[in-house]
Each structure stands twice: as C-alpha cells, then as structure tokens.
C-alpha cells in the first residue's frame, strides 16, 4: 500500500468513527418526553428524562406569576389559557356535565370553594366541541410543577402546582380521591375527557385528572436596616 493510499484509508476510518459518535450523542441526548404525543396517546410523567446532577441539590424556587384575571376564573399560564368558572356542574347520568360553552369551566357543588382553606375543589371543562378546543383541551400535556392560577369570589388569588396528571378509563368510574368534598388537605382537581375517541359511543374513553396543590405565598422581603444616626 502506498503512503497516499494509507492516508486515505485513515481519513475514511476517522470519518466513519466521527459519524457514529455523532449518532450516539444524538441518541443519548434525545428527550423522547419532549416529542409531541400522537393523537389518542398520553405520555406518562414516569418517562420524563432525568438529568443526573453531581452534588447536593435543592428544589428550585417557585416563581410567583400574576396575570390579569377576573373573579371566579382559572388560568393555566403554560398553555395561555384563561377561563371563567361560571357555576356548578350539573350531574347528568351520574357524570359531571361541563358548560355548553367550551371556553368556560364549572365546579362540583359538593367540593370546596375556590377560596376555602381545606378540602378539594373540582373543576371540569370540555376537551373540545365541534372542532373547537376547550379550556381544558390540553390537560394531558401538563407536567409536574406547571402552575395553575385561580381567583375566587371577591378576588382572592391562589397559585397551584401540578402534582400529578393521570388518565383514568371511564369504565372505572370517578376517582374517589378527587371527590372528597370539604374535608382533608387543600387540593385542586382539573378534569376533562381524554384518550382515544370512541366513534360508536361518540365519547372519549378516558377522563384526565390533574391534581394540584397550593403554592405557599412567598413572604415579603424585609426592609433593609436603617443606618444609625451619627451622634
């Protein structure tokens, strides 16, 4: 083999190694949880990428978010959603019936009110209707630690952190953890339809349950100490 041919062989081998290394890096760094789920599927939180961190860690501080909202309303900032809470949800055939307007939500009359200090508040809304996405049309795409904002009667503002997102087949009935009423720790549930669409029944096969917990208010920063007067 001539010297020129030997150098060409080395160059080709290096190029092959470089391409293989690039593909390996691309595969190792790909965040499958970040890809948009296909229609009728749900991406469980358990498969979200975990990035190892060397050394001690502490939870990231929760940033206070304030947007313009009216009384009796709910907002999901990450989805640019704001919706009025119009009234309590009627129970039809054993299920909570969302408002006729897909851009509105309602609450379960047996649960805690938005401004209560204990108990669980349940809000429900449409996923879509006649081709229009509802206020709760993208609950399945929420992730742990996403924020939900509520304003109750009289303008009482509250901030919530998503703790869990679940699909529950409608054949299992309601999730009893959501419908506990006025007792127990403070919780907020957002509920809508989801999963695959059953054309024969003209209904989605699942319900989506988003459980959120209150975010403690951030205490005000104390004023700086005043300088002592010069004597």
């Amino acid at each position: 083999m001539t010297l020129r041919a030997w150098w060409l062989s080395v160059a080709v081998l290096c190029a092959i190694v470089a391409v293989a290394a690039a593909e390996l890096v691309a595969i190792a760094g790909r965040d499958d949880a970040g890809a948009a789920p296909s229609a009728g599927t749900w991406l469980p939180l358990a498969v979200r990428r975990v990035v190892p961190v060397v050394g001690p860690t502490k939870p990231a501080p929760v940033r206070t978010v304030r947007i313009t909202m009216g009384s009796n309303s709910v907002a999901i900032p990450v989805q640019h959603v704001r919706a009025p809470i119009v009234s309590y949800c009627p129970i039809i055939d054993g299920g909570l019936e969302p408002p006729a307007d897909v851009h509105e939500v309602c609450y379960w009359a047996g649960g805690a009110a938005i401004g209560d200090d204990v108990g669980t508040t349940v809000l429900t809304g449409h996923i879509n209707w006649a081709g229009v996405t509802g206020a709760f049309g993208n609950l399945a795409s929420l992730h742990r630690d996403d924020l939900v904002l509520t304003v109750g009667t009289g303008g009482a503002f509250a901030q919530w952190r998503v703790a869990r997102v679940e699909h529950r087949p409608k054949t299992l009935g309601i999730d009893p953890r959501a419908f506990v009423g006025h007792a127990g720790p403070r919780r907020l549930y957002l509920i809508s339809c989801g999963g695959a669409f059953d054309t024969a029944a003209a209904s989605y096969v699942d319900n989506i349950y988003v459980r959120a917990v209150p975010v403690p208010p951030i205490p005000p920063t104390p004023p700086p100490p005043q300088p002592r007067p010069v004597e």
Side-chain angles (χ1 to χ4, degrees):
M1 177 183 296
T2 65
L3 183 61
R4 177 180 178 84
W6 181 81
W7 276 110
L8 287 174
S9 300
V10 171
V12 171
L13 178 61
C14 290
I16 294 173
V17 171
V19 170
E23 291 180 350
L24 180 61
V25 170
I27 293 172
R30 183 168 51 204
D31 185 359
D32 291 335
S38 59
T41 63
W42 173 62
L43 191 64
L45 296 179
V47 303
R48 295 184 67 194
R49 183 176 59 178
V50 177
V51 180
V53 179
V54 178
T57 62
K58 60 181 181 179
V62 177
R63 181 172 59 91
T64 299
V65 175
R66 296 298 295 267
I67 61 177
T68 302
M69 298 172 60
S71 296
N72 294 319
S73 61
V74 59
I76 307 174
V78 71
Q79 296 182 349
H80 308 286
V81 168
R82 283 181 292 179
I85 306 169
V86 292
S87 63
Y88 68 89
C89 308
I91 298 178
I92 300 177
D93 295 331
L96 291 178
E97 183 70 16
D101 189 332
V102 299
H103 304 297
E104 298 175 343
V105 302
C106 57
Y107 62 90
W108 177 48
I114 288 291
D116 287 353
D117 296 326
V118 295
T120 299
T121 300
V122 176
L123 302 178
T124 188
H126 281 290
I127 180 173
N128 55 38
W129 185 260
V132 178
T133 300
F136 285 176
N138 295 297
L139 291 188
S141 64
L142 288 174
H143 294 122
R144 185 180 180 91
D145 292 331
D146 284 341
L147 292 179
V148 178
L149 313 178
T150 58
V151 176
T153 303
F157 172 81
Q159 191 170 213
W160 309 79
R161 176 178 55 82
V162 172
R164 192 174 182 85
V165 180
E166 293 182 289
H167 272 221
R168 182 180 177 88
K170 291 182 179 180
T171 54
L172 297 180
I174 64 170
D175 186 344
R177 295 171 296 180
F179 295 88
V180 296
H182 297 271
R186 193 74 180 102
R187 296 290 184 266
L188 173 69
Y189 272 86
L190 311 180
I191 304 176
S192 187
C193 295
F197 187 77
D198 184 347
T199 54
S203 174
Y204 290 90
V205 299
D206 296 338
N207 282 134
I208 302 167
Y209 285 77
V210 174
R211 177 166 59 88
V213 296
V215 175
I218 299 176
T221 304
Q226 299 296 320
R228 297 177 61 184
V230 178
E231 298 179 355

